[in-house]
Structure formats: C-alpha cells, structure tokens
C-alpha cells in the first residue's frame, strides 16, 4: 500500500487544528478526510472506511474515547487509531488506551514531526497486515499441498518424500535415509517424540523449531505430525520465517523504543507487574529507579533535537554498560521476561532491580549510573557534561503495584532535583507530605505580597575600625496567617522556582531602601545590604529596577550593597559580568556572599566587579578549634586585601572569634555575638552601641611572618 493510497480520517472540532493537520498530512502524501465532530466521523467511516483514524479527545457529542470504542467494537483491533489530546497526564493516556487507541499525540502538536508519527503507525499497521496475509497464505498452502511432506517410519527413516519445496533444502531427496542425516539430532528427536504422542493419544501433533542452514541463515519451520498406521507417520513441514519476521517487527514496535532500542513504557509496566507478582510470592523486595537527565532541555534548545537524540542513545548505552547482568539490561533480541531497563519517553529512563536484598544495593547502582552519566558527551567537536537525578521507590514499602511504584519513584526523582540535582533520593511518605505542604505554601506565597505578610529584619554589621555598627543586612521574614513564622529556607526556594522571587526581591529592596533613608534623615548614615537571588541577576531588567527604586526612595547608591552568592556565579557569563559592572558604574557596592562554599576560580574572581567578600559562617564556627579553618580564613583575608576587597565575617558568636579576625585584618563582623536580626525600630538604638575589640593572635600560628 503506497502513501498516496493510505487514507486517513481526521476528526477535530477545532477548525484551525483541522486545517493545520490536514495541510501537514497532505504535504506528507496522505489522503485525508475531515470531520468536525464524533458523529460525523462515524458517518464518514461507515460510508468509506479509512486506513487510519485520528480523533481529538474533546469533541461535542461523541468524544474521542466514545468514537474509538465504537470503531473497535465494530471493526476489531487492526485499524490504527491515534488520539489527539491536550492532556498528557497518565490517567488520560490510560483511558485512551483502554478505549482502544493505538497511540496518542499531545497538543501543542509539533507539525514537523506529525507526518513521521503517522508513518511510524502506518509501518506497524502494514506489518500487521503483512502478518495477517502471511498467516492466510500459509493456511491455504497447508490445507491444499504442504510445502514439504514426507513419511517417517518407526526407525526415524524417511521412506517417502511426497512433496518437496525449496524452503526445505536440508531434506535429502532420496528415500531410505535416516532423519538424522538431514537434521541435527535434537530436532530429529522432536519428530520421534511427536510421532509417539500422536500414536498413543490419537492427535495431530504440532511443533516449531529454528534451523541454521548451510548458508548460515536461520529459518523457522512449523511441523505437523499425523499417524498413518502403527509404523508410519505423515510429517508436514512449512516454512514460517516470514511470519516470525513479521511477529518480531510488530513486537519490536509495540515493546521497544525506536530511538534507543530499549523497552518502552508498555513493556516496562508489564515487566514490573510481573516482577511484583514474583516478589509477593517469594517475599522478596525490588527497587524501581527513575532517572532524569539534568540540563537535557538546554541541549535540545541550543544544539538541536538531532544532537539531543544522540545524547539519549549514548545515555542508553551507558545505562546498559553500568548495570549488572542481573539488573535491567536490555538488547533488542532479548525475550520480554529479561527486559529490565526502559525509556519511558523524553529523557526519562527506568531501572528495576528484582530480588533486592538491601536498600543500599539500589543506592550503589544509582551512584554507579550517576558516575557513568558524568562522563563528558562528545557533541559537535566539544565536550558537554550532563548529570542525572535519580529517584528510588521500594516494594513493598513504597507501593504494591506498578503504577504506584513508578509514581513514587518519579516523586523521589523530583526531590533529588530539588536537593541540587546530580544525586539520588529514596521515596517515603514524608516526601509526599512535604510535596503537599510545598504545594499549599506556593499557593499562599502568591498572595503574601498583596496581603503584606512579609516584613524585614536587619542584622547589624560591626565595623572594627569604627568600633560600632556602620551597616546592616536586610533579611526577609514571612508571618503566615495560619502557620505563623515561616523560614526563608522554606519559601525562598519556592519563590525562585515559580518566578515570584522577582517581585519579592523588588519589595525587599524598596522596603530596605525606604527604612535606610529614614535612618539617614535621623542622622544615622548606615549602609544597607540586600541579597540577590540567581534569578534576579539573570533578569535583564535588574539594573533599571534598582536605579528606579533608589530614585524613588532617595537613597544614595553608594550606601547600597547588593549581595550575590558564590554559587550564583558558578555559571557566570558575560551577561552576568555586564550586569554587575553596570551596577558598579552607578556606585552601588557588590558583595560576594557565602565565600568559600563554592568552587570559585581565582582566575575569574579578580575579574568580578565586587567590593567585599563575606566569609561563610561554616569556617567561622570552627575557627578556634580547627587549624584548617583557621588557615582558610586567614588565606581568604590575605587574598582579599591583595585584590583590593574588604572582608566581612559571618557567624561571630564569641569574643575570641572577633579578636582573632581583627588580628587577621578583617574589617567587618556579623553574628549573634553582636546582635541577632532586629526590626527596623530597634536599629537606631543598636547603632549607638560601642565595642572595643582587642586583636588576639590565635594559638597554632607559628609561621605568620614568613
């Protein structure tokens, strides 16, 4: 059947979609008949049956599910039916397949790929027709004159060849030959055992076997053995290689991913259900690993889908090479019972580990996979590094059926991403509760600004030279009407995920500048530091927004310090540097927060337009007890002075810490020793306090002047 003669019935109540789909299919060479709803689709099909039907799920009157069920009931399971849906949730997909759909495609439709999807279904359909035709043809041949027919006696000798075909070149043409001269001993034994069963049970026995011929090609034969008398049996041989090939093609289309050759979702779910039944019977555990590539979308967006496909194929190869033979490793010629690695779609892969003895075994395998994924992918003459986030669900702890285990492994994978990516996490009930809490919190977060639930507190920063507070750091707080005070560690990541950090960040900056401007009017010219999130730094409107707020609040730009984290600069680019330089050009100060916790390169640190380094409190906590921390802090202060930066130390809790830092030359100290964060009305009183910090050389420093 040619493409031009392949007729498609398309039903969609959206006229625009119909026209676009019609144009795409016509361009690919198909014949297309259009229907605007389900009832019209049924009428047109009954009047002139099509070779394929495409149905929109949501149509007035009969929807796509009803039309699909009607066609299946009327004409059977061979007709390919594709559901076109705007819903890509699992429940909608399951419902489509329950109604009898062959495949589905989600809106918005990629018009460049739709023709290939149809060609893919057409190929499966034609293979199905080929299989049906082969079966009918072979049945007719068998009913009339078999390909090959010979008579076998009780001694396994061929005493007559009634009909001979070129498809059985292995059969000796002369009579009175032992069957073992034509066939291997194990296959000859099959004939004798079938003859014995037929003789004792009065039945016609059938069996199949593959046979490698002299030309090294393997062919498949179907055999029927019927008793003639007490000594002789009639053996009919039919070559079924064509049927086997068609079955293999259809099986591969149904159960394997065309891009990677790995089992697909349907194969995975069937295998997982089977493994669950086995685990229930034996009392064993099993693990489901759900893997997603971090940053894969950017590969598709920047380098194209062809390169993305190459990455997916390489990922499948790495999964196969990094799993044990007993793990979910699959090759195209494996039986379904052996399939344990699958690609669900996109950049999502799954692994099932049956007969799991310890949960740690699943974690070990997950780490091995992550290590394999970290190796650079060689793409377009350059190396690209991707990582993997992996979620793990255990049977029976996390679910007792395939759908639940897969969903929970997926949830655990997203938890792994939220923990910084390139890691793996187990699923547990606490994760679900946490996800629900985050969902409600995100909804409330959207209203918090409008309802004025946010407020600022300020942590004073002690200037060693002035022996008083000369600056403060603005810190946001959220007073939830029902849950009370919510930590920024809980709601700031949510705000960054959904983009609310932009308006929240603007509110923080505006409020901090307003408060600081009032302090200036009252004679206290304090600097105010405000934190910027990585998303704010990437916002192209950041510079103008900052300048507008400074003008609105009449706050001097040289008294504003914008703090950025070291982690935010790990993926720095020229746009980031341009943004920071533009802020510096307006006399706004830039501080690098949490210094020492990331992977700053000295090569680019000197290029950054910053004024101040803030030493992370993790180094300060162990300053007096850990020689390594002492050396690191001293080195940071020395480095900063060589580069022309001032240094602020965070997390000061004792006088001794302050004295040692003054000895090293640190300019500014911040921590609970001096003051906890306080509300704006208490800042003026705090700024009047004075401390006299005497420098103290720490014990253990014996080479200071070398």
């Amino acid at each position: 059947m040619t493409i031009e003669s392949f007729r498609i019935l398309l039903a969609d109540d959206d006229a625009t979609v119909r026209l676009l789909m019609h144009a795409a299919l016509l361009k690919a060479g198909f014949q297309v008949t259009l229907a605007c709803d389900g009832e019209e689709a049924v009428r047109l099909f009954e009047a002139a049956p099509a070779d394929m039907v495409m149905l929109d799920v949501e149509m007035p009157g009969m929807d796509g599910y009803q039309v699909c069920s009607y066609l299946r009931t009327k004409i059977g399971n061979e007709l390919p039916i594709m559901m076109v849906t705007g819903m890509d949730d699992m429940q909608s997909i399951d419902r489509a397949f329950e109604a009898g759909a062959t495949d589905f495609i989600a809106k918005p439709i990629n018009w460049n790929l739709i023709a290939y999807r149809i060609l893919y279904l057409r190929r499966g359909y034609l293979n199905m027709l080929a299989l049906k035709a082969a079966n009918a043809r072979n049945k007719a041949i068998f009913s009339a004159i078999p390909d090959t027919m010979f008579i076998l006696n009780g001694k396994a000798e061929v005493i007559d060849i009634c009909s001979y075909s070129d498809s059985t070149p292995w059969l000796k043409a002369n009579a009175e030959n032992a069957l073992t001269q034509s066939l291997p001993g194990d296959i000859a034994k099959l004939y004798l055992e079938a003859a014995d069963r037929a003789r004792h049970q009065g039945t016609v026995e059938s069996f199949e076997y593959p046979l490698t011929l002299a030309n090294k090609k393997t062919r498949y034969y179907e055999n029927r053995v019927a008793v003639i008398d007490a000594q002789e049996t009639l053996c009919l041989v039919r070559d079924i290689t064509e049927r086997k090939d068609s079955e293999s093609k259809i099986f591969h289309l149904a159960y394997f991913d065309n891009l990677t050759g790995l089992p697909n979702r349907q194969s995975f779910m069937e295998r997982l259900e089977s493994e669950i039944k086995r685990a229930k019977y034996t009392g064993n555990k099993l693990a489901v690993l759900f893997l997603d590539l971090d940053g894969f979308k950017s590969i598709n967006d920047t380098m194209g889908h062809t390169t993305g496909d190459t990455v997916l194929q390489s990922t499948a190869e790495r999964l196969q090479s990094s799993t044990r033979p007993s793990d979910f490793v699959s090759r195209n010629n494996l039986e379904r019972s052996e399939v344990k690695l699958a690609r669900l779609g996109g950049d999502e892969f799954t692994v099932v580990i049956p007969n799991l003895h310890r949960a740690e075994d699943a974690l070990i395998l997950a780490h091995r996979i992550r290590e394999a994924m970290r190796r650079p992918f060689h793409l377009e003459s350059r190396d690209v590094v991707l990582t993997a986030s992996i979620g793990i669900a255990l049977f029976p702890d996390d679910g007792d059926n395939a759908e639940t285990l897969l969903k929970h492994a997926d949830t655990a994978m997203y938890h792994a991403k939220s923990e910084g990516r390139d890691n793996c996490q187990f699923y547990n009930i606490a994760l679900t509760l946490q996800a629900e809490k985050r969902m409600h919190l995100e909804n409330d977060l959207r209203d918090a600004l409008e309802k004025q639930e946010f407020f600022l507190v300020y942590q004073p920063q002690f200037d060693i030279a002035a022996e008083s507070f000369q600056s403060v750091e603005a810190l946001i707080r959220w007073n939830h009407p029902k849950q009370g005070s919510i930590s920024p560690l809980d709601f700031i990541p949510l705000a960054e995920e959904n983009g609310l950090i932009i308006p929240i960040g603007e509110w923080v900056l505006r409020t901090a500048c307003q408060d600081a401007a009032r302090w200036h009017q009252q004679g206290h010219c304090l600097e105010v530091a405000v934190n910027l999130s990585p998303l704010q730094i990437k916002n192209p409107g950041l510079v103008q927004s900052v300048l507008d707020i400074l003008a609105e609040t009449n706050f001097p730009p040289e008294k504003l310090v914008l703090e950025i984290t070291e982690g935010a600069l790990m993926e720095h680019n020229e746009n980031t540097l341009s943004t920071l330089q533009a802020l510096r050009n307006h006399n706004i100060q830039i501080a690098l927060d949490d210094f020492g916790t990331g992977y700053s390169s000295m090569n680019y640190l000197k290029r950054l337009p910053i004024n101040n380094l803030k030493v992370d409190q993790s180094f300060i906590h162990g300053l007096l007890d850990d020689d390594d921390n002492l050396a690191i802090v001293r080195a940071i202060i020395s480095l900063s002075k060589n580069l022309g930066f001032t240094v602020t130390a965070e997390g000061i809790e004792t006088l001794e810490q302050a004295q040692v830092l003054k000895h090293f030359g640190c300019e500014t100290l911040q921590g609970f020793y001096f003051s906890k964060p306080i509300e704006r009305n208490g800042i003026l009183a705090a700024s009047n306090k004075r401390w006299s910090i005497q420098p103290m050389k720490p014990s253990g420093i014996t080479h200071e002047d070398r």
Side-chain angles (χ1 to χ4, degrees):
M1 180 185 296
T2 63
I3 291 180
E4 292 78 11
S5 63
F6 195 79
R7 292 173 294 110
I8 300 174
L9 173 60
L10 169 63
D12 196 307
D13 64 330
D14 188 325
T16 302
V17 173
R18 286 200 309 273
L19 290 175
L20 291 172
M21 187 79 78
H22 184 246
L25 296 177
L26 285 180
K27 183 178 179 181
F30 296 104
Q31 294 186 36
V32 184
T33 302
L34 300 178
C36 62
D37 57 32
E39 287 83 356
E40 186 178 11
V42 170
R43 289 195 304 271
L44 291 173
F45 187 91
E46 290 178 340
D51 298 309
M52 178 182 292
V53 177
M54 300 180 67
L55 301 170
D56 185 20
V57 167
E58 297 181 349
M59 292 187 294
M62 290 181 71
D63 62 18
Y65 301 123
Q66 293 170 320
V67 176
C68 183
S69 297
Y70 173 83
L71 293 177
R72 283 286 177 250
T73 302
K74 185 176 180 64
I75 63 173
N77 297 323
E78 295 178 359
L79 177 71
I81 300 177
M82 174 181 283
M83 304 293 275
V84 182
T85 174
M87 300 171 286
D88 59 356
D89 59 287
M90 186 173 292
Q91 184 177 0
S92 300
I93 296 170
D94 287 342
R95 185 180 175 190
F97 285 120
E98 288 172 2
T102 309
D103 199 357
F104 74 98
I105 186 169
K107 296 179 181 177
I109 296 170
N110 187 327
W111 302 109
N112 293 325
L113 296 180
I114 183 62
Y116 295 98
R117 290 287 298 274
I118 300 302
L119 289 171
Y120 181 85
L121 283 182
R122 174 180 175 271
R123 183 172 61 182
Y125 174 61
L126 294 180
N127 278 322
M128 182 70 75
L129 293 180
L131 173 62
K132 183 178 179 181
N135 286 336
R137 180 169 60 253
N138 291 335
K139 182 178 179 180
I141 294 173
F142 184 82
S143 300
I145 302 176
D147 288 343
T148 295
M149 180 170 58
F150 61 89
I151 297 175
L152 195 66
N153 65 15
K155 298 179 181 180
E157 296 173 340
V158 178
I159 61 175
D160 188 18
I161 298 177
C162 307
S163 176
Y164 180 78
S165 170
D166 292 339
S167 63
T168 55
W170 45 267
L171 185 63
K172 302 299 181 181
N174 55 316
E176 299 296 339
N177 282 313
L179 192 59
T180 52
Q181 293 182 348
S182 300
L183 295 170
D186 57 337
I187 296 180
K189 185 179 178 182
L190 292 176
Y191 281 93
L192 291 178
E193 291 174 346
D196 187 62
R197 290 195 305 272
R199 185 171 292 108
H200 286 86
Q201 299 176 14
T203 57
V204 176
E205 294 296 312
S206 300
F207 60 94
E208 298 177 3
Y209 59 84
L211 181 64
T212 302
L213 305 181
N215 58 7
K216 305 301 181 182
K217 293 183 179 180
T218 298
R219 303 196 68 82
Y220 293 85
Y221 297 98
E222 181 182 68
N223 303 269
R224 301 191 70 183
V225 176
V227 174
I228 298 176
D229 54 33
Q231 297 297 323
E232 297 181 355
T233 52
L234 180 66
C235 302
L236 297 93
V237 184
R238 180 169 55 182
D239 186 334
I240 58 170
T241 304
E242 182 180 352
R243 191 188 80 190
K244 286 289 186 180
D245 288 345
S246 295
E247 289 176 349
S248 177
K249 291 178 182 177
I250 293 173
F251 172 77
H252 194 277
L253 290 173
Y255 286 93
F256 288 85
D257 171 52
N258 195 44
L259 177 64
T260 63
L262 295 177
N264 59 17
R265 177 184 288 270
Q266 180 177 348
S267 177
F268 167 78
M269 296 301 286
E270 289 183 7
R271 176 56 178 170
L272 182 54
E273 287 288 5
S274 175
E275 289 293 346
I276 289 173
K277 290 179 181 178
R278 181 182 303 175
K280 288 179 178 178
Y281 179 77
T282 60
N284 290 333
K285 290 188 175 184
L286 64 82
V288 176
L289 277 59
F290 195 110
L291 178 149
D292 184 270
L293 294 178
D294 303 322
F296 176 74
K297 184 177 183 299
S298 65
I299 296 294
N300 271 341
D301 292 344
T302 60
M303 304 180 72
H305 289 277
T306 300
T307 302
D309 288 347
T310 300
V311 170
L312 293 176
Q313 291 168 336
S314 298
T315 298
E317 294 173 358
R318 294 186 184 187
L319 284 173
Q320 291 177 341
S321 63
S322 61
T323 50
R324 300 188 303 265
S326 59
D327 293 328
F328 241 140
V329 182
S330 170
R331 294 176 298 276
N332 293 354
N333 60 347
L334 288 183
E335 295 295 329
R336 271 181 289 180
S337 61
E338 298 177 55
V339 174
K340 297 179 182 178
L341 170 68
R343 178 192 175 209
L344 298 189
D347 59 333
E348 296 176 342
F349 297 83
T350 51
V351 179
V352 168
I353 309 175
N355 304 317
L356 188 71
H357 298 292
R358 306 177 308 159
E360 292 82 354
D361 292 336
L363 194 60
I364 291 172
L365 178 60
H367 284 312
R368 194 191 316 165
I369 292 172
R370 286 174 52 233
E371 290 173 3
M373 291 302 108
R374 289 194 193 108
R375 297 199 307 269
F377 291 88
H378 304 291
L379 306 174
E380 298 181 0
S381 302
R382 60 173 169 164
D383 290 345
V384 175
V385 177
L386 295 178
T387 57
S389 296
I390 303 174
I392 305 172
L394 303 176
F395 169 86
D397 307 68
D398 301 328
D400 61 357
N401 60 76
E403 182 177 347
T404 301
L405 282 175
L406 182 62
K407 180 177 67 175
H408 288 174
D410 189 14
T411 300
M413 181 274 294
Y414 277 104
H415 180 54
K417 282 189 178 292
S418 70
E419 290 295 307
R421 302 185 176 189
D422 189 24
N423 72 87
C424 42
Q425 296 287 330
F426 283 95
Y427 175 86
N428 54 56
I429 298 302
L431 278 181
T432 300
L433 298 177
Q434 180 182 352
E436 292 177 352
K437 177 183 177 182
R438 284 169 59 88
M439 180 184 67
H440 295 307
L441 198 63
E442 182 176 355
N443 292 334
D444 294 341
L445 186 62
R446 298 181 183 277
D447 300 327
L449 262 181
E450 181 180 345
K451 295 179 179 179
Q452 299 181 348
E453 295 172 2
F454 293 122
F455 66 96
L456 294 185
V457 293
Y458 298 90
Q459 184 163 33
Q461 297 175 325
F462 178 71
D463 186 290
I464 291 179
E467 298 187 341
S468 63
F469 295 138
Q470 298 296 312
S471 57
V472 295
E473 179 181 358
L475 303 171
I476 188 172
R477 297 292 185 264
W478 182 11
N479 185 22
H480 192 281
K482 294 182 179 179
Q483 301 181 37
S485 179
I486 297 178
S487 170
L489 296 177
D490 292 329
F491 70 82
I492 291 298
L494 280 179
E496 290 179 338
E497 289 177 10
N498 58 27
L500 289 174
I501 194 65
I502 300 298
I504 290 176
E506 291 180 354
W507 178 86
V508 171
L509 180 61
R510 180 177 289 104
T511 304
C513 289
Q514 288 172 344
D515 291 343
R518 293 191 190 98
W519 300 331
H520 282 213
Q521 293 171 1
Q522 296 170 359
H524 295 268
C525 296
L526 300 175
E527 292 181 354
V528 63
V530 177
N531 292 282
L532 291 182
S533 79
L535 199 62
Q536 287 177 278
I537 298 173
K538 294 178 181 179
N539 181 16
L542 172 65
V543 175
Q544 189 59 50
S545 174
V546 172
L547 296 179
D548 290 344
I549 290 174
L550 289 173
E552 173 189 334
T553 59
N554 197 30
F555 186 68
E558 64 273 10
K559 291 294 184 178
L560 175 63
V561 181
L562 297 179
E563 295 189 1
I564 58 177
T565 64
E566 188 179 7
L569 292 178
M570 286 178 61
E571 299 181 1
H572 77 285
N573 52 38
E574 293 304 320
N575 290 334
T576 301
L577 295 179
S578 297
T579 297
L580 297 180
Q581 188 61 59
L583 293 169
R584 288 291 298 120
N585 292 341
H586 289 88
N587 296 321
I588 297 168
Q589 301 184 64
I590 306 295
L592 187 57
D593 198 9
D594 299 335
F595 186 77
T597 60
Y599 304 92
S600 294
S601 166
M602 297 301 105
N603 184 45
Y604 85 80
L605 186 59
K606 63 184 180 182
R607 298 174 52 208
L608 296 175
I610 62 177
N611 309 84
N612 177 264
L613 290 182
K614 297 189 73 174
V615 182
D616 188 72
Q617 58 184 343
S618 61
F619 299 109
I620 304 302
H621 288 165
L623 183 66
L624 304 179
D625 305 317
D626 190 319
D627 290 343
D628 290 338
N629 279 359
L630 197 66
I632 290 173
V633 172
R634 184 183 176 207
I636 291 175
I637 294 174
S638 177
L639 168 68
S640 300
K641 293 191 175 299
N642 289 333
L643 294 176
F645 305 148
T646 59
V647 180
T648 299
E650 299 180 291
I652 310 301
E653 296 180 350
T654 67
L655 174 61
E656 290 78 8
Q657 290 172 340
Q659 291 173 325
V660 169
L661 289 166
K662 181 175 182 179
H663 174 76
F664 285 159
C666 186
E667 289 89 354
T668 307
L669 306 177
Q670 177 179 340
F672 285 3
Y673 173 74
F674 297 102
S675 175
K676 293 183 178 181
I678 56 181
E679 295 191 15
R680 63 185 181 186
N681 294 333
I683 290 296
L684 297 183
S687 65
N688 291 324
K689 294 182 179 180
R690 293 290 184 272
W691 282 268
S692 180
I693 305 295
Q694 300 302 317
M696 181 180 73
K697 180 179 178 179
S699 60
I701 298 293
T702 60
H703 53 282
E704 184 173 355
D705 298 325
R706 292 183 183 178

